[in-house]
Amino acid sequence: MKMIRTIFKKELIDTLRDRRTIITMLVVPVLLFPILISISSSVISKSIKEAIERELYIGLMARDNAADFIQLLEERDDVNLVLIEEIETGKKLIQNDSLHAFFLFHDYFDQYVNEMKSGLINFYFKGTDENQIEKRRSLQLLESYEEKLQEERFQKLNLDVQIINTLDVQEMDLASAKERIADFVGGLLPYFLIIFCFMGSMYPAIDLAAGEKERGTLETLLTSPVSRMQILLGKFGVVVLTGIVSACFSFLGLYIGIRRAGEIPPELLKTLLGILEPESIALLISLLFPLTIFFAALMLSLSIFARSFKEAQSYISPLMIVIIIPAFLGLLPGMELNSLTAWIPIFNVTLTTKAIIAGHMETMLIVKTYLSCFILAAVSLFICSKIFSHESVIFRST
């Protein structure tokens, strides 16, 4: 055990001297979340504010109908009314983003309304994400007009408008704030944490095996009175540590980013900070620990097999795609932790994180997730030790 600690300290000191490791392990995780949160919150809030305050360009083809609706639009300071003569002209203006909405009133609109029937209006718009606020504002114009027509109709009938309200439904949302944001934050957070664990372990894994081959220091270490397993565990411990430290610093970066973001509503800010409670962080780190062991064993195996630092990079870098795919799948809607998904590595970590953040933790499913991760970690470490025990693999010729 003493020799393992000695090797661990030696390798850790060498690792901390590497600028690339410090950047990927400490600097990137701390800076990434504040930058992302600051930019995204400011851009989103700015775009929403602009969409709300922007003048609406409304195209209208009334066909000598709805004079009161035209008057309503002309009286509004936030609406620019464009009278359209041809239907195709209105459609083209919508497609060219020259109009936010185009209202087409059918020929007998006024007649139908006066006869207590429904007047037909075609509402043309572009249903892209960036036009959703303008679409909602345009619909509100129609809703205001509809309310006006209803009041006039009920006055003619000498009836109270409230007579049509047969139900008074009061929605009571019992989902907590954590539950409402669990799908988004719970999927996105482990996605980044898994990437940081992988990136934080990558350069030390390459440097402590393939890098030492290039420098010629691995042979010296192997001739020392220490078993291969002790050497491997010393190196392995450093690689795992850098991965976990990288994840921990990403939590710090997330906290700084949330605190510094000035555009987050107070209720949402309180909820996000609640996710970073010590208990939640400890659970998430404990989930990442066996996963980081798997990453470390996998990358060390490839690094030991490689002949050079560059070759090790070419083996390990594509693994990022393999890691990202199951982590990304956990972001998709409808994905839930169950008796099957709890056994799927990486994917189960994402889903378990969602459950932890939402507060829906089923003990047996979480146990299966831990068991799956630790089995994977043990198998990968065993394979790594076998690879490290063969000199023909370590010192294979070019």
Side-chain angles (χ1 to χ4, degrees):
M1 193 68 181
K2 183 179 179 181
M3 293 305 300
I4 295 175
R5 285 200 302 270
T6 302
I7 295 170
F8 175 82
K9 289 178 183 178
K10 177 255 181 192
E11 302 293 8
L12 182 59
I13 292 170
D14 289 342
T15 298
L16 293 178
R17 288 172 181 165
D18 184 18
R19 187 180 302 173
R20 288 170 302 189
T21 300
I22 296 299
I23 292 173
T24 56
M25 181 177 68
L26 305 180
V27 179
V28 173
V30 170
L31 294 181
L32 183 63
F33 276 122
I35 292 172
L36 284 178
I37 292 173
S38 176
I39 293 175
S40 60
S41 62
S42 61
V43 169
I44 291 172
S45 62
K46 183 180 178 181
S47 62
I48 291 175
K49 184 179 180 181
E50 288 178 352
I52 293 174
E53 297 176 352
R54 186 182 297 125
E55 187 178 25
L56 276 179
Y57 282 79
I58 303 294
L60 182 66
M61 186 171 175
R63 293 168 170 170
D64 298 325
N65 292 290
D68 47 354
F69 182 61
I70 295 174
Q71 182 181 354
L72 184 149
L73 296 182
E74 289 176 339
E75 290 174 352
R76 294 182 66 103
D77 295 331
D78 59 343
V79 174
N80 191 322
L81 182 61
V82 180
L83 297 177
I84 307 294
E85 299 294 332
E86 299 290 336
I87 297 176
E88 292 303 318
T89 302
K91 291 181 179 179
K92 286 180 180 178
L93 290 174
I94 289 288
Q95 291 169 346
N96 296 332
D97 295 323
S98 299
L99 293 177
H100 295 117
F102 170 40
F103 299 138
L104 171 62
F105 285 72
H106 279 234
D107 293 329
Y108 301 102
F109 179 85
D110 281 353
Q111 180 182 332
Y112 281 14
V113 169
N114 292 331
E115 293 176 354
M116 305 295 180
K117 297 178 182 178
S118 298
L120 183 59
I121 302 173
N122 284 355
F123 173 29
Y124 296 93
F125 62 93
K126 252 190 177 180
T128 58
D129 289 339
E130 60 184 15
N131 292 325
Q132 289 304 307
I133 294 178
E134 287 85 353
K135 174 193 171 185
R136 188 163 61 248
R137 290 175 61 194
S138 301
L139 278 173
Q140 287 172 352
L141 295 174
L142 290 178
E143 289 170 359
S144 298
Y145 181 52
E146 183 182 21
E147 289 177 2
K148 178 179 179 298
L149 293 178
Q150 282 182 348
E151 289 178 3
E152 292 175 353
R153 182 173 293 185
F154 275 83
Q155 285 176 1
K156 289 180 180 179
L157 297 172
N158 292 321
L159 295 174
D160 186 359
V161 177
Q162 297 297 322
I163 198 172
I164 63 172
N165 298 326
T166 57
L167 296 177
D168 183 12
V169 179
Q170 298 181 358
E171 295 184 359
M172 305 293 184
D173 188 357
L174 299 181
S176 65
K178 282 187 177 182
E179 289 175 313
R180 290 195 292 270
I181 67 170
D183 281 341
F184 176 70
V185 177
L188 200 60
L189 183 59
Y191 179 78
F192 281 106
L193 292 176
I194 289 168
I195 291 175
F196 285 138
C197 280
F198 185 87
M199 290 178 59
S201 301
M202 184 170 70
Y203 280 113
I206 295 173
D207 186 65
L208 295 181
E212 288 204 356
K213 283 186 184 182
E214 283 191 340
R215 295 190 297 270
T217 56
L218 185 59
E219 293 90 336
T220 305
L221 188 59
L222 291 173
T223 56
S224 62
V226 185
S227 69
R228 293 281 177 89
M229 193 62 183
Q230 288 175 321
I231 295 173
L232 176 63
L233 289 177
K235 293 177 178 293
F236 182 78
V238 172
V239 178
V240 172
L241 178 64
T242 54
I244 292 296
V245 168
S246 180
C248 291
F249 270 82
S250 68
F251 278 111
L252 176 61
L254 179 61
Y255 180 81
I256 294 172
I258 293 173
R259 276 294 188 186
R260 290 181 61 84
E263 305 293 339
I264 300 178
E267 183 182 355
L268 180 58
L269 176 63
K270 183 179 178 181
T271 304
L272 289 173
L273 291 175
I275 293 173
L276 299 178
E277 294 172 348
E279 295 83 1
S280 299
I281 293 175
L283 270 173
L284 294 177
I285 294 295
S286 67
L287 273 173
L288 292 171
F289 180 69
L291 196 61
T292 309
I293 292 176
F294 165 64
F295 291 159
L298 179 62
M299 287 187 280
L300 272 176
S301 299
L302 293 173
S303 184
I304 291 167
F305 180 76
R307 300 182 185 93
S308 64
F309 193 99
K310 188 174 182 180
E311 185 179 344
Q313 274 187 312
S314 67
Y315 290 154
I316 293 174
S317 297
L319 288 177
M320 180 68 76
I321 299 173
V322 179
I323 300 303
I324 285 175
I325 290 173
F328 175 77
L329 291 176
L331 292 169
L332 300 179
M335 295 295 181
E336 295 181 355
L337 187 67
N338 53 46
S339 56
L340 175 61
T341 56
W343 291 105
I344 303 174
I346 302 175
F347 184 55
N348 55 7
V349 173
T350 304
L351 297 181
T352 303
T353 303
K354 279 187 183 181
I356 291 172
I357 290 176
H360 297 152
M361 295 182 289
E362 293 187 32
T363 305
M364 284 307 300
L365 293 179
I366 293 180
V367 168
K368 288 178 181 179
T369 300
Y370 276 107
L371 191 59
S372 167
C373 292
F374 276 108
I375 289 173
L376 184 67
V379 171
S380 59
L381 181 57
F382 175 77
I383 294 172
C384 183
S385 66
K386 288 298 181 182
I387 292 173
F388 196 63
S389 64
H390 289 83
E391 287 193 8
S392 59
V393 175
I394 298 174
F395 302 112
R396 63 195 184 98
S397 61
T398 57

